[in-house]
Amino acid sequence: MAAVFPQPAESSFEEKMAALENTPLFMKSLPSEESNDPVIQALQSLAFDGTPDEIAQNFKEQGNDYFKGKRYREAVSFYTQGIDAKPSDIALREALLCNRAACNLELKNYGSVLRDCSKVLTLNTKSSKAYYRSATALFALERYEESLDCCERCLEYDPENKGVRSVRDRSAKAKAEKLRKESEKQERIHNKQREKKLLQVAFKERNLFAVYNPKGSSENPYEPHFDPEDPEGTTLIIPVFFLYPQHATSDVIAHFVEDTTFSTHIFQMFPPQAPSPSWDKAGQYISNSLVVYAITRRKRLLKVGKKMSLRDVCNAAKAKEGDPDDGLELKDGCLTFVVVTKGEAEQNWVDEFKRTRTPYGKTPRKKDIDEGVKLVQDGCAYRAAEQKSGLNHFDWVDASYEEASILAMSVNHKILRTANAPTTSPDETEVSVAQALIDLENNVPELKTELRALQISAAREVDVRGGKKAIVVFVPIPQLKAFHKVQQRLTRELEKKFSDRHVVFVAQRRMLSKPTRNSRVKQKRPRSRTLTDVHEKILEDLVFPTEIVGKRTRVSADGSKLLKVILDPKDATSLEYKLDSFSSVYRRLTGKDVTFEFPPANQE
């Protein structure tokens, strides 16, 4: 039997290439220092044998060969060695610099191109190649004026140079386009400033008081503007909120033309024969049984007739002669109106408003602060304090009833029930998380823009080993990528607010059962809706932003399985404290046992 000798370990592709490049015949460039290798010594003697001009000419020809093969980096190396040989022939030195500039132009090293071309022009002020390559690099850097200057200087003595003329035409066209865009930008800014001044005048004429959040504007996507279809350009279009305090919800009319009556919108939103909204279980909200109220800046309550237009309500909100100025408040670009059902619910709401309202400029009484604002539901008053755990983040000291309603509406807006989310009303945990997101949106400028469009579909508390708890925040699938952009910072901020609990984000995914022979649905089940795929995605969501680098399944003698998930060690310091939470959440969501760990530091 033949003896088996140990075989050398197979080297990687990179190691093989490195060894090949160390072979003298395949070297990209010769080492500048002396070598003991006789082959390298022979090649060095050949390469550096002769006068400086001969050496430079040799490197130039080698660089040209690499340039033709589009191996620009190797060509740059040879041209540089030719320049370092310091040839006395000015034409040769000019050619080496021009050729190196051509390589750097292909490599988009525009700074190096300009430096080499500048040196060429000190040697030869009429080098067309230097001007052409300088103009091309300047064009790429969007320095069109300088590019045109280079072209004009070259065309003074070489007017038929097609390459330079082509760059000149492109630079002139690009310059004109840049000037056009800049002019349009300035015109837009001017028109915006002019419209802003006209809006201020229009607000004053209509007794509207613009109020903005001192912590930063909410940047409402719908802003008051003039009706573009009005030839005189004097009709305003204003976003309007309709608040329904009986159900703690709202609607927004993004474009409410001021000449339109309230009855028009109410009839379209609550027609007599149409199905009731999902939140109106009793079917009370019908156009003929609703009444609209407006609250002025000085907390006067105005009953709005259905035949009144928005302009009529603005005029009615004007203060009487001799009284301080009054009118409607335009909060962050929106007007707010309250819609309630006629009868007992209306009377209860009016009485409650009069009892709890605070005169303009004064602070609410301590008693009213402690009790909170009463909301009317099905004709019966209930206190917001009943949801104390969810609403105790509200700053009741500075909030009137109207502001409290808007805050309650904002909390509901942050919770979007997707197809696979619970159908019940938001619980204590969900309200707390939604309110925390609103607080971060208002108080953390870095997160403001990103959080404005984000919503959650549900939230749940999970018990973790050691008596701790974790909050699982479920987010809609379409918004998952947007959450990932801010998830690290958002997680830190939420864990500060919920100091005794860890926070994890998981997408609200939907699973479909495996089709059977008797299934009515003939469409093939998507891979993303299978149990296996959903469980894998939950794992990825839990550990984000780190990556899963390995998985192992251990099967015990009793048939039970334990999944071991190995995470990227670079995130060990930031996530190690949450590994127990990951395991508990995954077990709660899937019923499967899993352990998370990071590999040892010396293990790749």
Side-chain angles (χ1 to χ4, degrees):
M1 182 176 178
V4 179
F5 295 98
Q7 299 295 319
E10 289 192 8
S11 56
S12 64
F13 175 77
E14 290 77 10
E15 292 173 345
K16 291 178 179 178
M17 289 300 297
L20 188 64
E21 289 175 1
N22 288 327
T23 304
L25 186 60
F26 297 98
M27 281 183 174
K28 295 180 180 178
S29 60
L30 293 173
S32 56
E33 66 277 1
E34 293 185 2
S35 174
N36 295 325
D37 191 324
V39 179
I40 293 179
Q41 290 178 354
L43 291 173
Q44 285 178 332
S45 65
L46 290 173
F48 296 99
D49 188 23
T51 64
D53 288 353
E54 291 173 346
I55 295 171
Q57 181 64 32
N58 180 32
F59 282 122
K60 174 176 173 289
E61 291 172 357
Q62 292 183 69
N64 291 346
D65 292 337
Y66 277 99
F67 184 85
K68 291 175 184 177
K70 297 185 178 181
R71 296 174 64 179
Y72 303 116
R73 295 190 186 278
E74 291 86 346
V76 166
S77 176
F78 282 109
Y79 291 138
T80 301
Q81 291 183 74
I83 294 168
D84 292 341
K86 298 180 180 179
S88 58
D89 187 350
I90 294 177
L92 179 57
R93 198 186 314 167
E94 176 188 339
L96 286 166
L97 288 167
C98 274
N99 290 356
R100 188 169 71 173
C103 292
N104 282 316
L105 191 62
E106 295 292 338
L107 296 170
K108 299 182 180 180
N109 298 328
Y110 302 121
S112 299
V113 174
L114 296 176
R115 285 191 291 272
D116 283 346
C117 290
S118 176
K119 293 176 182 177
V120 170
L121 292 173
T122 59
L123 300 173
N124 179 10
T125 57
K126 294 185 177 181
S127 173
S128 298
K129 288 183 178 180
Y131 277 122
Y132 169 76
R133 284 159 191 161
S134 293
T136 304
L138 290 166
F139 175 83
L141 295 171
E142 298 184 3
R143 294 160 61 178
Y144 304 122
E145 286 280 359
E146 297 172 76
S147 178
L148 285 169
D149 180 63
C150 287
C151 294
E152 295 299 337
R153 289 174 183 267
C154 181
L155 292 175
E156 286 179 2
Y157 63 84
D158 189 6
E160 302 302 323
N161 192 312
K162 293 182 180 179
V164 175
R165 291 173 68 178
S166 172
V167 175
R168 182 191 63 178
D169 294 341
R170 286 189 289 135
S171 297
K173 185 177 179 181
K175 178 186 174 183
E177 182 67 16
K178 184 178 180 181
L179 291 174
R180 183 186 66 79
K181 290 181 178 179
E182 185 65 28
S183 175
E184 290 179 353
K185 181 182 177 181
Q186 293 299 327
E187 186 177 358
R188 285 196 301 270
I189 293 173
H190 175 74
N191 290 338
K192 191 173 182 179
Q193 292 174 345
R194 177 175 171 273
E195 185 177 0
K196 188 176 180 181
K197 292 179 180 178
L198 292 175
L199 280 173
Q200 291 174 351
V201 174
F203 292 165
K204 190 172 182 180
E205 292 176 351
R206 291 160 177 78
N207 310 301
L208 296 176
F209 294 86
V211 178
Y212 297 98
N213 187 348
K215 297 178 182 178
S217 173
S218 62
E219 296 183 11
N220 182 5
Y222 306 110
E223 296 181 349
H225 59 277
F226 291 102
D227 188 356
E229 297 181 1
D230 180 13
E232 298 180 1
T234 58
T235 303
L236 274 182
I237 296 178
I238 304 176
V240 170
F241 268 122
F242 278 174
L243 302 181
Y244 312 119
Q246 291 173 263
H247 300 279
T249 187
S250 67
D251 277 323
V252 61
I253 302 173
H255 305 283
F256 197 124
V257 183
E258 64 175 347
D259 293 335
T260 309
T261 62
F262 278 79
S263 60
T264 302
H265 288 288
I266 292 293
F267 185 82
Q268 289 181 353
M269 295 165 69
F270 305 102
Q273 305 301 327
S276 301
S278 58
W279 45 264
D280 182 21
K281 304 297 183 183
Q284 296 175 326
Y285 274 67
I286 303 173
S287 58
N288 296 330
S289 62
L290 299 177
V291 62
V292 181
Y293 281 94
I295 303 172
T296 70
R297 187 190 189 198
R298 308 197 72 83
K299 307 309 172 192
R300 292 188 297 131
L301 195 59
L302 303 178
K303 190 171 183 177
V304 179
K306 290 184 180 179
K307 292 186 178 180
M308 292 179 70
S309 65
L310 185 57
R311 184 68 181 268
D312 295 333
V313 178
C314 294
N315 293 334
K318 185 178 180 180
K320 295 179 181 179
E321 229 177 292
D323 290 346
D325 290 342
D326 199 6
L328 300 180
E329 284 189 332
L330 195 67
K331 295 187 177 181
D332 286 327
C334 289
L335 289 175
T336 303
F337 295 89
V338 177
V339 181
V340 294
T341 55
K342 294 179 181 178
E344 184 181 357
E346 176 191 359
Q347 189 59 47
N348 289 341
W349 181 83
V350 172
D351 293 342
E352 185 63 22
F353 172 80
K354 290 179 179 179
R355 191 186 70 80
T356 58
R357 70 177 172 183
T358 304
Y360 177 74
K362 293 188 179 181
T363 305
R365 295 175 300 169
K366 180 68 170 63
K367 179 181 178 182
D368 292 335
I369 296 171
D370 293 338
E371 290 183 357
V373 177
K374 288 185 179 181
L375 302 177
V376 181
Q377 183 174 19
D378 297 329
C380 301
Y382 73 97
R383 296 181 184 275
E386 291 178 359
Q387 296 181 357
K388 183 177 179 182
S389 58
L391 301 179
N392 60 1
H393 302 289
F394 290 172
D395 187 7
W396 293 112
V397 175
D398 296 320
S400 64
Y401 174 84
E402 181 185 9
E403 291 167 336
S405 299
I406 292 176
L407 288 173
M409 173 274 299
S410 300
V411 169
N412 283 285
H413 174 71
K414 276 294 179 187
I415 302 173
L416 175 65
R417 294 303 198 193
T418 55
N420 202 35
T423 56
T424 57
S425 59
D427 61 15
E428 177 182 325
T429 302
E430 292 169 339
V431 172
S432 298
V433 173
Q435 184 57 47
L437 291 175
I438 294 171
D439 291 344
L440 292 176
E441 180 182 333
N442 293 330
N443 300 326
V444 183
E446 297 84 357
L447 296 176
K448 183 176 184 178
T449 304
E450 288 80 1
L451 287 182
R452 183 171 302 108
L454 298 183
Q455 297 169 295
I456 65 172
S457 57
R460 185 188 303 174
E461 272 194 351
V462 175
D463 293 327
V464 182
R465 226 177 295 168
K468 297 182 179 180
K469 291 183 180 293
I471 296 178
V472 187
V473 181
F474 295 92
V475 302
I477 281 283
Q479 299 186 22
L480 182 61
K481 288 186 178 179
F483 267 98
H484 281 174
K485 291 180 181 178
V486 295
Q487 185 166 323
Q488 288 178 276
R489 175 70 185 276
L490 181 59
T491 302
R492 290 198 302 269
E493 296 294 339
L494 287 176
E495 288 182 348
K496 289 178 186 177
K497 288 183 173 290
F498 305 103
S499 56
D500 57 336
R501 287 164 284 185
H502 295 157
V503 178
V504 295
F505 290 87
V506 177
Q508 186 80 61
R509 293 184 170 85
R510 184 182 181 188
M511 288 179 286
L512 296 178
S513 58
K514 189 174 182 179
T516 61
R517 183 177 300 176
N518 299 326
S519 298
R520 294 183 180 180
V521 180
K522 299 301 181 184
Q523 183 180 358
K524 186 178 180 180
R525 180 176 59 159
R527 164 74 180 169
S528 61
R529 297 294 178 87
T530 61
L531 180 70
T532 302
D533 189 75
V534 170
H535 286 187
E536 288 177 356
K537 295 298 182 185
I538 291 175
L539 272 180
E540 295 174 5
D541 292 347
L542 282 176
V543 301
F544 183 88
T546 192
E547 294 181 352
I548 298 173
V549 297
K551 293 179 186 177
R552 294 173 185 168
T553 303
R554 180 177 295 170
V555 182
S556 303
D558 59 357
S560 61
K561 294 182 180 180
L562 174 65
L563 176 64
K564 182 182 290 186
V565 177
I566 303 171
L567 305 178
D568 194 336
K570 67 181 178 64
D571 298 307
T573 55
S574 59
L575 289 178
E576 196 163 12
Y577 72 101
K578 296 176 73 171
L579 297 184
D580 286 343
S581 296
F582 291 161
S583 300
S584 300
V585 170
Y586 189 76
R587 187 184 304 111
R588 176 70 180 273
L589 297 180
T590 65
K592 296 179 179 179
D593 290 327
V594 62
T595 60
F596 295 87
E597 61 182 42
F598 292 98
N602 60 351
Q603 180 179 342
E604 295 185 358

